[in-house]
Amino acid sequence: MVLCEDKKIRVLIAEDALQEKIRELGLQITQDYKGRSPVLVSILRGSFIFIADICRHIPIPVVFDFMAVSSYGNPKLSSGIVRITKDLEFNVEGEEVIIIEDIIDSGRTLNYLLKNLGARNPKSIEVCALLDKKVPGKKDNRIKYKGFEIPNKFVVGYGLDFHEKYRNFPFIGYIENE
Ligand code: IMP
Ligand code: MG
């Protein structure tokens, strides 16, 4: 457990377990995209640490681009109404896109991204997500490269925030009594 000001944060996935899994995911992507040059589309802000770590396990000529989205309403509940606050710099038409996400909760943000990026006619789109939350009634989603399935708890750390804080922890944890 880690204390941060008045909050107690319990570790759910430790730093070494995260790093080991990220190495495996990077290896899979490297094998699948050998001889190609995919565009890694990192969804900000939550995936900034994940993209920085995983890309160092993908020794092929990847291109980076970044997109920021925000979901309206309660920070702990995705409303499904997604707004692009920063769009890609590059045209991904004909490109092989890999969406790099921190966490898939209800899957609504991902559905929106798949639709939005799909409309730009990339050659292919795959999804790499570090965390997939077990939410009752959630349909099978499109994650090809998945790190961990986690319980239906609100988690922080390793890029993930609660009211914009705790992104800097090197592990995934949850705040006690929240
Ligand atoms: P979805 O649309 O319900 O899948 O929500 C996806 C987005 O909500 C993620 O990209 C995160 O930004 C945020 N989110 C969902 N669950 C958590 C969590 O447990 N901790 C921090 N952010 C979360
Ligand atoms: Mg996110």
Side-chain angles (χ1 to χ4, degrees):
M1 195 190 63
V2 174
L3 284 170
C4 188
E5 296 175 314
D6 57 331
K7 304 273 194 215
K8 288 180 183 164
I9 299 172
R10 291 224 174 253
V11 176
L12 184 66
I13 308 170
E15 182 175 3
D16 53 350
L18 279 176
Q19 293 301 332
E20 183 53 41
K21 182 66 80 176
I22 290 164
R23 192 187 306 271
E24 282 169 28
L25 292 174
L27 186 68
Q28 276 180 46
I29 291 174
T30 303
Q31 286 166 349
D32 291 355
Y33 288 84
K34 208 173 156 202
R36 287 139 69 190
S37 187
V39 181
L40 303 182
V41 172
S42 160
I43 310 302
L44 299 172
R45 289 182 291 280
S47 72
F48 78 108
I49 297 179
F50 182 38
I51 184 82
D53 280 346
I54 196 170
C55 72
R56 283 177 277 183
H57 298 291
I58 310 177
I60 57 174
V62 295
V63 171
F64 293 87
D65 210 342
F66 299 88
M67 194 166 169
V69 295
S70 85
S71 175
Y72 289 106
N74 184 335
K76 289 174 86 171
L77 278 179
S78 161
S79 60
I81 306 166
V82 178
R83 183 167 58 102
I84 296 178
T85 55
K86 184 217 169 295
D87 206 346
L88 298 180
E89 301 288 327
F90 301 129
N91 178 0
V92 292
E93 186 173 348
E95 301 292 343
E96 302 208 75
V97 169
I98 308 175
I99 296 175
I100 308 287
E101 257 287 29
D102 50 355
I103 186 167
I104 311 300
D105 185 356
S106 66
R108 286 190 210 126
T109 305
L110 182 60
N111 281 344
Y112 173 83
L113 288 169
L114 286 167
K115 245 185 244 161
N116 184 288
L117 293 174
R120 306 180 195 199
N121 300 316
K123 184 173 176 194
S124 62
I125 305 191
E126 297 295 353
V127 179
C128 172
L130 182 64
L131 306 174
D132 185 21
K133 222 185 252 193
K134 282 187 209 139
V135 179
K138 181 163 154 183
K139 287 191 216 129
D140 239 18
N141 55 39
R142 285 224 18 212
I143 309 174
K144 177 147 181 196
Y145 306 101
K146 185 192 294 195
F148 299 88
E149 283 194 356
I150 61 163
N152 192 6
K153 267 181 187 298
F154 193 84
V155 291
V156 296
Y158 201 75
L160 290 152
D161 73 303
F162 177 57
H163 292 304
E164 293 304 323
K165 288 184 185 156
Y166 314 113
R167 294 190 195 271
N168 50 315
F169 290 123
F171 55 83
I172 298 287
Y174 58 92
I175 306 170
E176 230 174 44
N177 308 320
E178 283 281 354

